[in-house]
Amino acid sequence: MPLQNRSSKTRRRTILLVIIMVLIVTIVAVLAAVLLANETKETSTQLLQWKGRGTTKNLQEVILGRCYNYITTVNPELRDKDCQNIWETMQKAFIYKNPCNITTEDYQPLLDLTSHPIPCNKSLFWSKTNDLVHRYTKTSHNFLTLEDTLLGYMADGVSWCGNPSSPGINYESCPKWSECESNPSSVYWKMASKMFAEAACGVVQVMLNGSIEAGAFRSNSIFGSIEIFNLDPDKVSTVQIWLMQNIGGPQNCFLSVNYMQLQSYLHNPVIFKFCTSLCLCNPTEAQQI
């Protein structure tokens, strides 16, 4: 009997020790989980700080709404485009990524989904004439700017960028173009501009600002550094320059600084064949063309 009692007590002690060990392990696991959760929560709120405005609120709804409007109202010929797929592809290009490390490969799938033909003699490029050129195209409907294509229409005036940590999108701030070259907006618009220029054919129009002291043509602009070099000389027959000037300003197109530099670009047969120029001084004259 004494042996049986000792054996029974030993078993009870063993069971008690096991229970205590299980409780200790459980408590340790719970504490570790709480600490990890707090650390993750703190990390998720550590957004990179930039000088530009953050991602547009309700970005998904904005992009989807514009996409559906474009393929149903603006250009019904593109009604077979999959807007949901377009949004998801666009989001993959920047979400959870450092906004200074975006590449052309990130956006290439999006460009493949959104590309569409541009009618010949309809392409209108611009530089420093944003407000005027789009007021003109909205009233005349004779030409198309980049912002009148699906890719440009969806993103016009919109801001977006990712963040390496949760939630993956930075709604507080995004890098300005001057902060880092490979930011989501810069890469997007450079690729879109290149695609728009490559699609141009026939007579091409360019609206420049002749009232800028530095000159109407700027080699570091999107037009001067990307679009002008991607016009296909086998497809483009003529380039017409619209030099827009303030009312009361100089009336001679050739007085604009850097105009001769532009001419040297345009007459290079590697770029395209030849150009003509129109000197326009106000929006009324532009709408009469």
Side-chain angles (χ1 to χ4, degrees):
M1 291 296 291
L3 289 174
Q4 290 181 348
N5 289 336
R6 284 198 297 270
S7 178
S8 178
K9 289 179 180 179
T10 301
R11 284 198 300 272
R12 285 198 295 272
R13 290 196 196 97
T14 302
I15 294 173
L16 182 60
L17 287 173
V18 171
I19 293 174
I20 292 173
M21 291 179 64
V22 170
L23 288 174
I24 292 174
V25 171
T26 302
I27 293 172
V28 171
V30 171
L31 289 174
V34 171
L35 291 174
L36 181 61
N38 289 335
E39 183 179 348
T40 302
K41 184 177 181 180
E42 292 177 1
T43 302
S44 66
T45 59
Q46 293 176 356
L47 295 174
L48 299 176
Q49 298 298 312
W50 307 101
K51 296 179 181 179
R53 62 191 177 101
T55 299
T56 301
K57 303 300 181 184
N58 304 313
L59 178 65
Q60 177 177 350
E61 289 75 13
V62 171
I63 297 298
L64 282 173
R66 290 183 176 185
C67 181
Y68 285 123
N69 184 65
Y70 191 90
I71 67 173
T72 57
T73 305
V74 179
N75 191 348
E77 294 182 2
L78 303 181
R79 56 184 172 273
D80 292 334
K81 296 286 187 182
D82 186 342
C83 288
Q84 184 63 41
N85 190 22
I86 287 174
W87 157 249
E88 292 173 357
T89 303
M90 178 179 179
Q91 182 179 233
K92 288 178 183 177
F94 70 92
I95 194 170
Y96 281 106
K97 296 180 181 179
N98 186 309
C100 283
N101 295 331
I102 303 302
T103 66
T104 56
E105 288 75 16
D106 291 324
Y107 278 121
Q108 191 56 54
L110 176 64
L111 267 66
D112 294 339
L113 287 175
T114 56
S115 64
H116 59 87
I118 305 297
C120 286
N121 308 315
K122 293 289 187 179
S123 298
L124 173 55
F125 298 87
W126 60 275
S127 183
K128 291 294 183 179
T129 54
N130 190 340
D131 181 63
L132 175 58
V133 75
H134 292 115
R135 278 193 290 146
Y136 175 66
T137 56
K138 286 179 181 178
T139 56
S140 70
H141 305 290
N142 292 327
F143 302 104
L144 297 174
T145 65
L146 171 59
E147 292 74 21
D148 297 312
T149 67
L150 175 56
L151 202 61
Y153 186 89
M154 291 191 305
D156 188 24
V158 174
S159 176
W160 70 94
C161 68
N163 197 75
S165 60
S166 181
I169 297 179
N170 193 336
Y171 290 97
E172 301 300 323
S173 64
C174 289
K176 288 186 174 181
W177 286 35
S178 58
E179 288 186 89
C180 58
E181 184 176 355
S182 298
N183 66 73
S185 179
S186 176
V187 175
Y188 181 96
W189 286 111
K190 287 179 179 179
M191 292 185 68
S193 298
K194 180 177 181 291
M195 184 172 71
F196 183 59
E198 290 173 340
C201 56
V203 180
V204 168
Q205 316 293 330
V206 182
M207 186 185 291
L208 303 177
N209 189 334
S211 295
I212 297 179
E213 292 184 4
F217 174 72
R218 297 170 301 117
S219 60
N220 61 347
S221 67
I222 292 292
F223 173 68
S225 63
I226 295 177
E227 292 169 337
I228 195 172
F229 292 106
N230 284 285
L231 293 172
D232 188 344
D234 293 328
K235 294 165 55 179
V236 174
S237 59
T238 305
V239 175
Q240 286 195 147
I241 307 298
W242 303 3
L243 196 61
M244 313 304 290
Q245 297 173 334
N246 292 332
I247 296 176
Q251 302 298 305
N252 189 339
C253 291
F254 294 93
L255 293 179
S256 178
V257 180
N258 284 343
Y259 189 78
M260 295 308 296
Q261 180 185 6
L262 172 59
Q263 292 284 39
S264 67
Y265 274 88
L266 302 183
H267 283 92
N268 185 338
V270 176
I271 300 174
F272 45 78
K273 298 185 175 92
F274 61 94
C275 77
T276 60
S277 63
L278 303 175
C279 188
L280 306 176
C281 299
N282 57 55
T284 302
E285 291 184 14
Q287 292 179 6
Q288 293 174 353
I289 296 179

